[in-house]
Amino acid sequence: MTEPACTHLDQANDITPSGQGCVECLAAGGRWVHLRVCMTCGHVGCCDSSPGKHATAHFHAESHPLVQSYEPGEDWWWCYQDEVAFKVADAPTFTYG
């Protein structure tokens, strides 16, 4: 059986996260559950369990398909286009705080 694969790794860049929290939640005084960082531009947004769902909103607005978990100890990625979670060998690990 073949594992599902992401076909958008060519859109990953050497990024700098935009901050230590969800950009939109911080601006509006909102809250988040977990954070994701866009691997195309570095935008930090909140996950779909958060009220704002800003990481997914960023994908829909900008068509940047790849995010990495921005949670301490987590190194998985998600591709919105291919709807697949995966890990990238030797990928940078980002932590905030």
Side-chain angles (χ1 to χ4, degrees), residues 22-47:
C22 174
V23 174
E24 292 84 1
C25 287
L26 288 170
R31 63 177 183 82
W32 59 82
V33 178
H34 298 288
L35 298 172
R36 311 291 179 241
V37 61
C38 174
M39 296 308 294
T40 300
C41 72
H43 173 270
V44 176
C46 56
C47 70

Side-chain angles (χ1 to χ4, degrees), residues 11-68:
Q11 295 183 43
N13 293 313
D14 183 17
I15 59 98
T16 299
S18 61
Q20 296 186 8
C22 174
V23 174
E24 292 84 1
C25 287
L26 288 170
R31 63 177 183 82
W32 59 82
V33 178
H34 298 288
L35 298 172
R36 311 291 179 241
V37 61
C38 174
M39 296 308 294
T40 300
C41 72
H43 173 270
V44 176
C46 56
C47 70
D48 284 354
S49 295
S50 302
K53 302 179 183 181
H54 292 118
T56 298
H58 176 75
F59 160 67
H60 289 296
E62 303 296 330
S63 298
H64 295 167
L66 300 171
V67 293
Q68 183 178 359

Side-chain angles (χ1 to χ4, degrees), residues 5-9 11 59-60 62-67 78-84 86:
C6 171
T7 59
H8 299 88
L9 285 174
Q11 295 183 43
F59 160 67
H60 289 296
E62 303 296 330
S63 298
H64 295 167
L66 300 171
V67 293
W78 174 256
C79 178
Y80 286 102
Q81 284 293 127
D82 295 320
E83 297 185 348
V84 63
F86 58 97

